[in-house]
Amino acid sequence: MHEMSITKSVLEAVKREMDRAALARLYKVRLRIGELTAVEPEALRFCFEISIKGTPFEGAALEIEEVPLTGLCRGCASRFRITSFDNTCPGCGSTSIDRVGGTELDIISMEGA
Amino acid sequence: MHEILIEEKILAKNDEIAAENRKALARNNIYTINIVSAPGAGKTSLIERMAAELGSLGVRFAVVEGDLEGDFDSRRIERHGIPALQITTGRACHLDAHQISHALPWVFERPIDLLVIENVGNMVCPAEYDLGEDMMVTVMSTTEGDDKPLKYPAIFSASEALIINKTDLAPHTDFDIDRARENALKVNPYLRDLVQDRRRGERMGRIPCRACQGKREARWIAQGYIYRA
């Protein structure tokens, strides 16, 4: 399980931003997690919660925006959700597509005071 | 209350160190592969077989081994006259770019063309951690399910090549090599080379070797086939 090391990286970035803005309290952290990553949002929530327990961050909420695996057709430019790894464009039937979503592992923002 | 926009990759720091590793390795003319698989798929055996093959081709290589505990794998590799450095990760289920950066001075002391990093046996966690390699290679074996790419898509999606190992055992399992290949391509349409390990096969797969460019390609010991997707 590497959700713990992911959590550690998140909290390092959060701490850096809080120091920079001279904030003392953390209310919320927003993440963006793609469907095709090896990160399980529930496990991440659990790790986040136990990591902030007893620290100045205790009580902060974790908001996870999950991004579905998304394809962009090179032929007809339609954007579609890829289900069951079927890379066929529902618009024109082409299989020449680019993956444009689903591998994100980002920190979007944080709220603090 | 302040909302602060961060918008960065969670593993930005790892990616930064990985980029530095990649640059340093390229400066030293070393091509690097990162081998990942489930425990027991045959990563170490594959590297052992590379030793004889690459040795006869004059390709010099070294191995960095990642394991939770012990130096069993690096000792196995050293028996073949190949320098091997063991990294023990303790409880961590994957290697990261920082650990590799500490191994680089050891690597650069050796005159090599190819660096093989054997990651911790795990099909989940290594997917997210760029080490600075040129190519990530997933190994799956015929004693596993041919639906593995669909069950562990992240690692197959992050890889550039796939080796199907233990094909001599395939007749004794219900593993379908074509179906495995199909599943892997579904998950990763960009997967170009599917190398199939055949212990007694005739054809050799190839991996590109920057150091050998123009002269020859380093041959992959996998004794298998490369499928052009």
Side-chain angles (χ1 to χ4, degrees):
Chain A
M1 191 174 80
H2 63 310
E3 277 79 0
M4 205 40 134
S5 24
I6 299 278
T7 305
K8 214 177 124 210
S9 301
V10 169
L11 291 176
E12 274 168 13
V14 164
K15 176 137 195 349
R16 183 198 66 211
E17 292 300 322
M18 288 185 67
D19 288 348
R20 191 178 288 168
L23 302 180
R25 286 219 54 187
L26 177 69
Y27 295 124
K28 191 184 274 181
V29 179
R30 281 201 191 86
L31 306 180
R32 189 184 296 118
I33 310 280
E35 188 182 13
L36 198 59
T37 61
V39 175
E40 172 53 43
E42 278 322 299
L44 196 58
R45 270 182 226 287
F46 173 76
C47 290
F48 184 80
E49 229 159 86
I50 58 168
S51 298
I52 61 175
K53 212 168 194 167
T55 77
F57 297 163
E58 183 160 357
L62 182 66
E63 211 173 273
I64 299 177
E65 181 189 307
E66 294 181 51
V67 185
L69 187 54
T70 308
L72 179 68
C73 180
R74 288 184 190 175
C76 70
S78 58
R79 240 179 132 86
F80 61 99
R81 171 152 195 194
I82 300 171
T83 47
S84 314
F85 299 108
D86 180 358
N87 300 299
T88 316
C89 170
C92 68
S94 166
T95 51
S96 179
I97 62 152
D98 288 309
R99 293 214 171 139
V100 291
T103 57
E104 297 80 357
L105 202 52
D106 307 327
I107 310 177
I108 304 172
S109 64
M110 53 156 287
E111 278 174 30
Chain B
M1 192 164 74
H2 297 274
E3 173 158 17
I4 300 175
L5 200 68
I6 301 179
E7 278 300 351
E8 67 178 37
K9 287 187 189 305
I10 295 175
L11 296 177
K13 208 166 181 186
N14 182 78
D15 291 351
E16 238 170 70
I17 301 170
E20 275 165 31
N21 291 350
R22 188 169 285 115
K23 256 189 254 161
L25 285 157
R27 259 201 313 275
N28 285 272
N29 276 323
I30 297 172
Y31 191 87
T32 305
I33 59 176
N34 172 16
I35 304 187
V36 295
S37 81
K43 291 185 295 302
T44 314
S45 308
L46 209 59
I47 298 169
E48 286 182 297
R49 296 212 299 287
M50 285 173 78
E53 194 62 35
L54 293 181
S56 73
L57 288 166
V59 177
R60 301 160 300 178
F61 79 109
V63 179
V64 170
E65 284 284 344
D67 276 301
L68 270 68
E69 284 292 342
D71 59 353
F72 308 101
D73 281 357
S74 59
R75 273 159 46 202
R76 266 174 72 184
I77 302 294
E78 278 170 344
R79 249 176 258 144
H80 298 269
I82 302 298
L85 178 72
Q86 185 79 47
I87 297 178
T88 48
T89 59
R91 267 166 293 178
C93 45
H94 58 272
L95 288 171
D96 62 34
H98 185 241
Q99 288 166 325
I100 296 301
S101 75
H102 282 289
L104 289 186
W106 177 89
V107 171
F108 295 148
E109 275 168 22
R110 283 150 183 83
I112 56 166
D113 310 303
L114 176 69
L115 173 66
V116 177
I117 301 171
E118 182 181 341
N119 218 312
V120 178
N122 183 328
M123 287 222 109
V124 185
C125 314
E128 306 299 349
Y129 290 84
D130 184 5
L131 305 180
E133 73 271 19
D134 293 295
M135 185 193 268
M136 187 192 249
V137 183
T138 295
V139 180
M140 67 187 289
S141 62
T142 60
T143 50
E144 304 165 49
D146 52 30
D147 55 358
K148 207 144 211 181
L150 305 178
K151 289 154 99 177
Y152 298 87
I155 198 98
F156 286 88
S157 157
S159 296
E160 278 92 25
L162 169 69
I163 293 174
I164 299 176
N165 203 8
K166 305 186 192 177
T167 49
D168 52 336
L169 298 179
H172 310 286
T173 69
D174 54 6
F175 188 97
D176 183 326
I177 290 170
D178 290 330
R179 197 160 54 216
R181 177 178 180 256
E182 222 169 84
N183 287 337
L185 283 174
K186 261 192 197 173
V187 172
N188 183 354
Y190 308 120
L191 202 62
R192 279 192 299 269
D193 296 344
L194 290 170
V195 186
Q196 172 192 338
D197 167 38
R198 288 165 61 103
R199 275 167 200 254
R200 289 169 211 38
E202 295 95 43
R203 290 182 58 194
M204 304 291 298
R206 290 165 207 274
I207 53 166
C209 177
R210 191 183 288 127
C212 315
Q213 241 169 36
K215 286 175 263 170
R216 63 169 102 82
E217 283 181 310
R219 281 166 191 260
W220 184 257
I221 188 60
Q223 295 189 326
Y225 304 115
I226 285 188
Y227 294 100
R228 292 280 164 198

